[in-house]
Amino acid sequence: MRRRNRTGMGSRFLIGGAVVAALCVLSALYSGITGNPSPVTRVVRFVTTPVQRAASGIGGFFGKGLSYFTDFDALQAENEELRRQLREMEQTVRDAELALEENARLRQQAGQPERQRDLTTVEAEVIARNPGDWATTLTLDKGSNHGVEVGDLVITVDGMAGYVSEVAGNTCEITTVVDVEMQCGALITRTRETAIAEGDYDLMAEGNLRLSYLTEDASVVIGDTVETSGRGGVFPKGVMIGTVENVLPEDNGISYYAVLRPFVDVDTVSSVSIVTDYTDTTE
Amino acid sequence: MQRERLSIPKIVLYILLALLLYVVQTTLFGAWSIAGYHVDVLPALVVAAALLDGPAEGMIVGIAVGLLYDLGFIGIDGLYPLFFLLFGLGAGVFSRMALSGSYVSMLLTTAFEMVLLGLLRYFAYLLPQAGASLGLVLRQVAAGTLLTCLFSFVAYFPMRRISRLFADR
């Protein structure tokens, strides 16, 4: 009879546990060095993704049905407000179109290349969110089979939602705009000053991010909007990130940082567009 | 209640339960929060398996839960399975010496697990990488632990049912 110790575990079991622990360490080394998910994670994702898709679809179906009854009054009021704003914007759009035509004509006269900005996007749905409160990542239902690559920008009509951090065949995971890993070149729309928009753990809990590396003489004020700068060619320029809620001094007392409220609510976003390619000759 | 032999069908049911809870947690209740904190009952599964069945089951469920955590987060894979494997093993060993498979024991062990995980996350990642403040992290650990313990019955009672089902055979 095999002898067991007081804890009730055989030696084979302990050896098996040690082997699995060693595999976990190897997996951590693999993903840490390569930056890719481990093969085991990929297999598990292959199993869980269809289930998440189905559950997300079912939840969305019932959620929409319920909101048909509960959100009707709020939607009606929002509709009326949006119609009013639309009427005000129509004149602004007409003025902007005239300005664009004049700009194109002047650029042609000056021998400058035509301004062109074109985004190639893939529509995606959010099928899962990370467990707990330690990060804000989203899983989308599009992957490399749809042309998605690591580093692709993810947007909504409101602005930047995040960027793709991991890609599988039919899904991808995105680092959201408020996650601590988030970092991108930013531009203050009004003053055209550049800075870095990055996540901050303390601000993430409030649903915000920070705008860092503001100089001492930066003229950013509360209410300013911030957009992607396009510097480095990683992300297209002009995608809205958020608005300035507060301007505070850094710990060093020399520079400042701003607290940004993102335009996209990552807690509730359900449909996004992944920018798989873009051309931008606006500079 | 803790048995010596490993029952494969029981383990399969435990893993399916973990998968079900993970999917429900990340999809249907992914955007749902209480006072800004999200419910996460997966750690309670590891404790339930360890206390109800012993270190082997605790370890296996721990690996499964850890793999699911790796799915949900972007970063280095393998560390969550290692943590939950070791905790499931340790909780199972300790339960054979000192604890029972009761709900109260499970709550206490789950609370300890959540606090330990939160502190490990803080010192290993949040402090050096993200410069997070300890006060905020402690608040999140406390709120997360409270919510997990409040909702741990969602994990415990199905696990106990499965454990008893195979104990009677």
Side-chain angles (χ1 to χ4, degrees), chain A residues 186-209:
Chain A
L187 195 70
I188 300 168
T189 309
R190 179 177 60 87
T191 65
R192 314 310 288 174
E193 288 167 295
T194 58
I196 300 290
E198 57 186 4
D200 178 278
Y201 188 77
D202 293 356
L203 295 177
M204 183 180 80
E206 301 164 12
N208 295 333
L209 66 157

Side-chain angles (χ1 to χ4, degrees), chain A residues 162-279:
Chain A
Y163 55 88
V164 178
S165 295
E166 285 183 3
V167 181
N170 290 307
T171 60
C172 63
E173 300 228 344
I174 72 167
T175 296
T176 65
V177 69
V178 297
D179 191 86
V180 293
E181 298 290 334
M182 148 77 181
Q183 200 174 60
C184 81
L187 195 70
I188 300 168
T189 309
R190 179 177 60 87
T191 65
R192 314 310 288 174
E193 288 167 295
T194 58
I196 300 290
E198 57 186 4
D200 178 278
Y201 188 77
D202 293 356
L203 295 177
M204 183 180 80
E206 301 164 12
N208 295 333
L209 66 157
R210 63 185 282 158
L211 188 68
S212 301
Y213 302 103
L214 293 170
T215 57
E216 199 178 335
D217 56 353
S219 55
V220 61
V221 297
I222 294 171
D224 274 340
T225 58
V226 176
E227 60 190 56
T228 53
S229 65
R231 296 284 175 94
V234 178
F235 298 139
K237 179 187 165 187
V239 176
M240 304 310 294
I241 300 176
T243 51
V244 174
E245 285 212 328
N246 207 350
V247 183
L248 300 165
E250 293 275 16
D251 291 339
N252 57 27
I254 298 173
S255 53
Y256 292 83
Y257 73 94
V259 175
L260 295 184
R261 164 66 63 177
F263 286 115
V264 176
D265 184 356
V266 298
D267 282 338
T268 58
V269 66
S270 58
S271 297
V272 297
S273 301
I274 306 171
V275 180
T276 54
D277 195 13
Y278 70 93
T279 52

Side-chain angles (χ1 to χ4, degrees), chain A residues 87-106:
Chain A
R87 284 190 293 275
E88 290 172 3
M89 292 283 189
E90 279 170 352
Q91 182 57 48
T92 307
V93 167
R94 280 190 285 272
D95 293 340
E97 281 174 347
L98 287 172
L100 282 171
E101 281 173 21
E102 183 185 15
N103 182 273
R105 194 171 57 250
L106 290 170

Side-chain angles (χ1 to χ4, degrees), chain A residues 7-8 13 17 20 24 28 31 37-38 41 45 48 52 55 59 127-131 133-134 137 173 181 201-202 267, chain B residues 4 19 22 25-28 30-31 38 56 59 63 71-73 76-78 85 93 96 121 125-126 132-133 136 140:
Chain A
T7 61
F13 168 75
V20 173
C24 290
S31 67
S38 70
T41 301
R45 178 170 287 142
T48 59
Q52 284 178 319
I127 61 171
R129 289 175 159 80
N130 61 280
D133 296 304
W134 300 96
T137 58
E173 300 228 344
E181 298 290 334
Y201 188 77
D202 293 356
D267 282 338
Chain B
E4 300 293 339
L19 178 63
Y22 174 77
Q25 205 172 271
T26 56
T27 57
L28 299 177
H38 295 85
M59 206 175 82
I63 293 167
L71 272 186
F73 291 105
I76 297 177
D77 295 339
L85 177 161
V93 167
R96 293 204 166 190
R121 275 171 169 148
Y125 174 70
L126 291 174
S133 63
L136 173 67
Q140 288 192 323

Side-chain angles (χ1 to χ4, degrees), chain A residues 24 41 44, chain B residues 18 22 42 46 59-73 76-85:
Chain A
C24 290
T41 301
V44 177
Chain B
Y22 174 77
L42 291 176
V46 181
M59 206 175 82
I60 294 170
V61 174
I63 293 167
V65 167
L67 287 173
L68 292 172
Y69 261 71
D70 274 349
L71 272 186
F73 291 105
I76 297 177
D77 295 339
L79 297 179
Y80 281 115
L82 187 61
F83 171 81
F84 285 112
L85 177 161

